Amino acid sequence: MTSLTGDTDVFSTASFGASPKASVMFVATRQDDLPGIYGEAHRRAILAVLDELAAEGWTLSLRRVFDPEAPNAPRALATGFTHSHDIAGVFEAPDLESALAGTVRLEKAGWARAFRTEWLMGVKEFAPVMGKGALTDHGWSFLALWEWNDQWCEATPAERTEYDFECDIAFKGDLALGVNIAGRHRLDWSHGWHHLGAWEIDGPDTADAAIRGHEEVADFKFTTSRHIVGRLEPLAELIAPRHA
Amino acid sequence: MTQSVWIHYSRPRPHWYLLDEAQKLTLTEAWQAVRDKASAGGAQYNGRFHIRGQHDFQEVEIWKFASTTEAFEHWQALCAARYNEFFAFSNNIGLETGT
């Protein structure tokens, strides 16, 4: 039991069995500005590593977190339209050792040439939660990073529990908007951010409507957050070289 | 198993300064017990350094653990002893390159 907070109506502690227990998030910015930095051979090498990771039990597509029958072809968020970075994404890995080693394998295969990347390693805390219309392919994703602020840290356990259940009202609103929530990933042991929430959504407007609900219940009185929204696209296309 | 480095940046949160000396001592002793247990379990402690003059945080601790999971478990033990409630932090994990 490693969850930092208890279960709520929406969230329950994940029981994993054979499913992945760790997660790897990345936020990456293209840097292959000149010919010769990153080419097709590097791209093929990265895709070969991704194939190996899939064979080793990684989940490379958010869709598959909610639907085990969905293909495991890697997908990531195209974020350049509204962020300073170009792509972001979340994979799930069998354990922390393979998660960290996997990032190194990808970097060495050529990822380090193509991107400047922030990698975030997580531990899965809560089970995925299905919203209304859960099994449709939503096409977009919303990633929420947050840290509990000094006020949360100063609050009593009872005040924190009360806050969790206030936030639950907003999370129920998210589910009503058709959002699927991939549990909660704990990042604090290896990063400045404490948690990641990864959602499937049908577009940026849904993220905006959902966050308004979180503002109404004063979610952000206890947190500092960073939100990322992007369209889900095949990673093989997102890592195509800029120069032949 | 490749060795992992675990780098821990910290600074007291504002309400840490509101505790009396006895409360602070109880907490710091509990946290030191967690560190001692990690060392007894084979973790290598490389010291704590003051960095506030050139950083957002006040101190940095550098540890080596036999595995990534051991680093996580050390942090989890500190959190169970309420360390994260009284100290702001930023952690980092890395794999030894062997070069």
Side-chain angles (χ1 to χ4, degrees), chain A residues 191-204:
Chain A
H191 203 276
W193 291 112
H194 297 182
H195 283 105
L196 160 69
W199 297 4
E200 274 189 322
I201 56 175
D202 59 4

Side-chain angles (χ1 to χ4, degrees), chain A residues 159-233:
Chain A
E159 287 169 334
R160 290 181 200 158
T161 299
E162 183 184 15
Y163 164 78
D164 284 345
F165 278 89
E166 286 168 356
C167 288
D168 237 25
I169 297 166
F171 281 118
K172 287 170 185 171
D174 302 335
L175 300 178
L177 288 166
V179 170
N180 292 332
I181 304 175
R184 187 172 83 179
H185 305 259
R186 182 178 171 180
L187 311 171
D188 63 336
W189 64 283
S190 64
H191 203 276
W193 291 112
H194 297 182
H195 283 105
L196 160 69
W199 297 4
E200 274 189 322
I201 56 175
D202 59 4
D205 291 358
T206 295
D208 186 74
I211 291 306
R212 285 170 192 265
H214 283 263
E215 287 171 348
E216 282 168 19
V217 300
D219 184 340
F220 304 108
K221 72 178 179 183
F222 275 170
T223 56
T224 302
S225 57
R226 177 177 165 194
H227 292 158
I228 295 170
V229 68
R231 196 171 65 187
L232 288 162
E233 295 181 8

Side-chain angles (χ1 to χ4, degrees), chain A residues 1-2 4 96-97 100-101 104 121 123 147-150 152-155 160 186 188-192 194, chain B residues 1 4 6 13-15 18 67-72 75-76 79 84-86 88-95:
Chain A
M1 173 65 183
T2 57
L4 290 174
L96 293 178
E97 266 67 31
L100 183 54
V104 177
M121 250 69 61
V123 176
E147 68 168 318
W148 285 314
N149 60 20
D150 291 337
W152 184 91
C153 293
E154 197 174 0
R160 290 181 200 158
R186 182 178 171 180
D188 63 336
W189 64 283
S190 64
H191 203 276
H194 297 182
Chain B
M1 191 73 75
S4 294
W6 187 68
R13 296 189 187 275
H15 59 287
L18 302 178
S67 72
T68 308
T69 299
E70 282 184 33
F72 170 76
W75 175 247
Q76 167 60 17
C79 290
N84 57 323
E85 295 180 31
F86 293 97
F89 60 86
S90 181
N91 296 319
N92 200 219
I93 189 85
L95 276 185

